[in-house]
Amino acid sequence: MENMELTDNDTEQRLAARLKQLRVERGWSLDQLASASQVSRATLSRLENGEVSPTTAVLGKLCAAYGLAMSRLLRMVEDDFAPLLLRAQQSVWTDPETGFRRRCVSPPSRALAGEALECELGAGVTIAYATSPRPGMEHHLLLQEGRLNVTVDGRSHALQAGDCLRYQLHGASTFVTPADSGARYFLFIV
Protein backbone atom coordinates (compact mmCIF):
# COMPACT_ATOMS: atom_id res chain seq x y z
CA MET A 1 0.00 0.00 0.00
CA GLU A 2 1.44 3.32 -1.03
CA ASN A 3 2.16 5.80 1.77
CA MET A 4 -0.12 8.67 0.81
CA GLU A 5 -2.06 11.10 2.99
CA LEU A 6 -5.57 11.75 1.77
CA THR A 7 -6.51 15.34 1.19
CA ASP A 8 -9.72 16.61 2.71
CA ASN A 9 -11.11 17.10 -0.82
CA ASP A 10 -10.40 13.45 -1.74
CA THR A 11 -12.21 12.24 1.38
CA GLU A 12 -15.13 14.64 0.85
CA GLN A 13 -15.59 13.57 -2.77
CA ARG A 14 -15.57 9.87 -1.81
CA LEU A 15 -18.00 10.65 1.03
CA ALA A 16 -20.34 12.44 -1.40
CA ALA A 17 -20.25 9.45 -3.75
CA ARG A 18 -20.86 7.02 -0.88
CA LEU A 19 -23.84 9.01 0.40
CA LYS A 20 -25.41 8.86 -3.04
CA GLN A 21 -24.62 5.15 -3.35
CA LEU A 22 -26.31 4.38 0.00
CA ARG A 23 -29.48 6.16 -1.10
CA VAL A 24 -29.53 4.48 -4.53
CA GLU A 25 -28.85 1.02 -3.01
CA ARG A 26 -32.01 1.42 -0.93
CA GLY A 27 -34.03 2.62 -3.89
CA TRP A 28 -34.83 5.89 -2.12
CA SER A 29 -35.53 9.18 -3.84
CA LEU A 30 -34.07 12.37 -2.40
CA ASP A 31 -37.54 13.17 -1.07
CA GLN A 32 -37.74 9.81 0.74
CA LEU A 33 -34.31 10.31 2.31
CA ALA A 34 -35.23 13.87 3.27
CA SER A 35 -38.29 12.55 5.07
CA ALA A 36 -36.37 9.74 6.81
CA SER A 37 -33.45 11.93 7.87
CA GLN A 38 -35.11 15.33 8.43
CA VAL A 39 -32.45 16.89 6.16
CA SER A 40 -33.76 19.07 3.33
CA ARG A 41 -33.83 17.70 -0.20
CA ALA A 42 -31.71 20.64 -1.40
CA THR A 43 -29.03 19.95 1.20
CA LEU A 44 -28.99 16.25 0.34
CA SER A 45 -28.55 17.04 -3.34
CA ARG A 46 -25.68 19.44 -2.63
CA LEU A 47 -24.03 16.86 -0.33
CA GLU A 48 -24.29 14.07 -2.91
CA ASN A 49 -22.84 16.33 -5.60
CA GLY A 50 -19.91 17.32 -3.36
CA GLU A 51 -20.91 20.99 -3.40
CA VAL A 52 -20.92 21.31 0.41
CA SER A 53 -19.28 19.50 3.30
CA PRO A 54 -21.62 17.77 5.75
CA THR A 55 -21.71 18.87 9.37
CA THR A 56 -21.62 16.41 12.26
CA ALA A 57 -25.32 17.02 12.88
CA VAL A 58 -26.27 16.28 9.26
CA LEU A 59 -24.07 13.17 9.11
CA GLY A 60 -25.64 12.01 12.38
CA LYS A 61 -29.13 12.34 10.89
CA LEU A 62 -28.14 10.51 7.71
CA CYS A 63 -26.44 7.73 9.66
CA ALA A 64 -29.57 7.30 11.78
CA ALA A 65 -31.69 7.06 8.62
CA TYR A 66 -29.33 4.42 7.19
CA GLY A 67 -28.80 2.58 10.50
CA LEU A 68 -25.03 3.13 10.37
CA ALA A 69 -22.52 4.41 12.88
CA MET A 70 -20.90 7.59 11.60
CA SER A 71 -17.50 5.99 11.89
CA ARG A 72 -18.71 3.05 9.78
CA LEU A 73 -19.93 5.47 7.10
CA LEU A 74 -16.59 7.27 7.12
CA ARG A 75 -14.78 3.93 6.96
CA MET A 76 -16.82 3.03 3.87
CA VAL A 77 -15.08 5.79 1.95
CA GLU A 78 -11.65 4.36 2.72
CA ASP A 79 -9.62 1.92 0.67
CA ASP A 80 -9.16 -1.83 1.30
CA PHE A 81 -8.12 -3.21 4.68
CA ALA A 82 -4.45 -3.19 5.67
CA PRO A 83 -3.38 -4.33 9.16
CA LEU A 84 -1.11 -1.30 9.73
CA LEU A 85 -2.26 2.26 9.18
CA LEU A 86 0.46 4.86 9.60
CA ARG A 87 -0.60 8.20 11.08
CA ALA A 88 0.08 9.93 7.75
CA GLN A 89 -2.44 7.53 6.12
CA GLN A 90 -5.22 7.99 8.68
CA SER A 91 -8.12 9.97 7.30
CA VAL A 92 -9.18 13.08 9.14
CA TRP A 93 -12.62 14.63 8.82
CA THR A 94 -13.38 18.11 10.17
CA ASP A 95 -16.89 19.45 10.74
CA PRO A 96 -16.93 22.81 8.95
CA GLU A 97 -19.53 24.19 11.37
CA THR A 98 -18.05 23.25 14.78
CA GLY A 99 -14.41 22.50 14.01
CA PHE A 100 -14.84 18.98 15.45
CA ARG A 101 -11.97 16.81 14.15
CA ARG A 102 -12.24 13.05 13.84
CA ARG A 103 -9.23 10.90 12.93
CA CYS A 104 -9.90 7.27 11.99
CA VAL A 105 -7.05 5.56 13.86
CA SER A 106 -8.06 1.96 13.06
CA PRO A 107 -7.19 0.53 9.67
CA PRO A 108 -10.45 0.70 7.70
CA SER A 109 -12.26 -2.58 7.19
CA ARG A 110 -15.79 -3.39 6.21
CA ALA A 111 -15.33 -6.89 7.65
CA LEU A 112 -14.31 -5.86 11.20
CA ALA A 113 -16.73 -4.26 13.66
CA GLY A 114 -14.47 -2.61 16.26
CA GLU A 115 -12.78 0.69 15.59
CA ALA A 116 -10.76 3.42 17.26
CA LEU A 117 -11.15 7.16 16.67
CA GLU A 118 -9.17 10.14 17.90
CA CYS A 119 -11.47 13.15 18.36
CA GLU A 120 -10.84 16.81 19.12
CA LEU A 121 -13.31 19.50 20.17
CA GLY A 122 -12.42 23.14 20.74
CA ALA A 123 -13.49 25.08 23.81
CA GLY A 124 -17.20 25.96 24.11
CA VAL A 125 -18.43 23.43 21.53
CA THR A 126 -21.64 21.40 21.70
CA ILE A 127 -22.38 18.46 19.42
CA ALA A 128 -25.73 16.72 19.76
CA TYR A 129 -26.92 13.51 18.12
CA ALA A 130 -30.66 12.88 18.17
CA THR A 131 -30.43 9.09 18.15
CA SER A 132 -28.05 6.18 17.94
CA PRO A 133 -27.40 5.02 14.39
CA ARG A 134 -27.48 1.44 15.65
CA PRO A 135 -29.10 1.04 19.09
CA GLY A 136 -26.91 -0.72 21.64
CA MET A 137 -23.52 0.18 20.15
CA GLU A 138 -20.82 -0.16 22.81
CA HIS A 139 -18.55 2.87 23.29
CA HIS A 140 -15.43 3.39 25.39
CA LEU A 141 -14.48 7.07 25.56
CA LEU A 142 -11.01 7.78 27.01
CA LEU A 143 -10.40 11.48 27.61
CA GLN A 144 -6.74 12.35 26.98
CA GLU A 145 -6.76 16.13 27.46
CA GLY A 146 -9.15 18.83 28.63
CA ARG A 147 -12.65 18.48 30.02
CA LEU A 148 -15.76 17.03 28.42
CA ASN A 149 -19.35 16.58 29.51
CA VAL A 150 -21.05 13.63 27.80
CA THR A 151 -24.79 13.04 28.11
CA VAL A 152 -25.95 9.59 27.07
CA ASP A 153 -29.62 8.66 27.08
CA GLY A 154 -30.38 11.55 29.47
CA ARG A 155 -27.57 10.86 31.97
CA SER A 156 -24.74 13.40 32.20
CA HIS A 157 -21.08 12.53 32.87
CA ALA A 158 -18.35 15.13 33.59
CA LEU A 159 -14.98 13.81 32.42
CA GLN A 160 -11.45 14.94 33.28
CA ALA A 161 -8.23 13.89 31.55
CA GLY A 162 -7.62 10.18 32.14
CA ASP A 163 -11.29 9.32 32.77
CA CYS A 164 -12.95 6.57 30.73
CA LEU A 165 -16.69 6.41 30.07
CA ARG A 166 -18.12 3.09 28.89
CA TYR A 167 -21.68 2.97 27.62
CA GLN A 168 -24.12 1.43 25.23
CA LEU A 169 -25.81 4.01 23.07
CA HIS A 170 -29.57 3.59 22.61
CA GLY A 171 -30.81 7.15 22.12
CA ALA A 172 -29.63 10.74 22.11
CA SER A 173 -26.13 11.83 23.09
CA THR A 174 -24.45 15.20 23.56
CA PHE A 175 -20.79 16.19 23.82
CA VAL A 176 -20.02 19.58 25.42
CA THR A 177 -16.73 21.29 26.19
CA PRO A 178 -16.63 24.18 28.69
CA ALA A 179 -15.83 27.70 27.49
CA ASP A 180 -12.29 27.50 28.89
CA SER A 181 -11.27 24.01 27.73
CA GLY A 182 -11.33 21.88 24.63
CA ALA A 183 -11.05 18.10 24.67
CA ARG A 184 -9.03 15.40 22.93
CA TYR A 185 -10.22 11.85 23.37
CA PHE A 186 -10.11 8.37 21.95
CA LEU A 187 -13.39 6.67 21.16
CA PHE A 188 -13.44 2.89 20.82
CA ILE A 189 -16.61 1.50 19.24
CA VAL A 190 -17.55 -2.16 19.33
Side-chain angles (χ1 to χ4, degrees):
M1 185 172 179
E2 188 177 326
N3 182 4
M4 177 186 286
E5 185 168 350
L6 300 173
T7 65
D8 285 346
N9 191 47
D10 290 339
T11 301
E12 288 179 12
Q13 290 305 311
R14 285 197 307 262
L15 179 58
R18 184 64 183 140
L19 289 171
K20 184 172 188 171
Q21 183 182 14
L22 284 168
R23 181 180 57 77
V24 170
E25 285 172 357
R26 285 162 175 75
W28 291 353
S29 67
L30 282 172
D31 289 327
Q32 288 171 311
L33 179 56
S35 177
S37 66
Q38 299 303 305
V39 175
S40 76
R41 183 187 192 288
T43 297
L44 292 172
S45 177
R46 293 180 70 206
L47 288 172
E48 288 184 2
N49 289 318
E51 297 170 11
V52 296
S53 297
T55 64
T56 303
V58 168
L59 277 182
K61 289 177 180 182
L62 291 173
C63 287
Y66 290 130
L68 293 171
M70 188 182 308
S71 48
R72 168 115 14 227
L73 170 64
L74 293 175
R75 245 188 7 243
M76 288 177 168
V77 302
E78 297 303 319
D79 296 326
D80 291 333
F81 172 73
L84 173 64
L85 188 62
L86 303 174
R87 184 169 180 89
Q89 296 170 315
Q90 297 168 3
S91 67
V92 177
W93 177 76
T94 303
D95 181 338
E97 188 174 284
T98 64
F100 170 60
R101 289 178 43 95
R102 180 183 191 120
R103 175 183 297 279
C104 293
V105 176
S106 299
S109 170
R110 293 181 185 154
L112 302 175
E115 59 191 299
L117 306 167
E118 179 183 30
C119 303
E120 295 178 37
L121 286 171
V125 174
T126 298
I127 297 177
Y129 301 97
T131 186
S132 173
R134 191 181 77 229
M137 286 185 358
E138 183 178 347
H139 292 73
H140 300 252
L141 190 154
L142 177 59
L143 186 61
Q144 294 293 293
E145 298 173 8
R147 296 192 327 258
L148 181 65
N149 189 290
V150 180
T151 302
V152 179
D153 295 330
R155 186 168 177 209
S156 184
H157 307 274
L159 304 174
Q160 303 278 335
D163 292 349
C164 183
L165 176 63
R166 180 179 183 176
Y167 57 94
Q168 283 186 296
L169 187 59
H170 293 280
S173 60
T174 307
F175 297 73
V176 179
T177 54
D180 64 343
S181 175
R184 186 176 67 82
Y185 58 92
F186 286 100
L187 184 61
F188 304 94
I189 302 173
V190 183

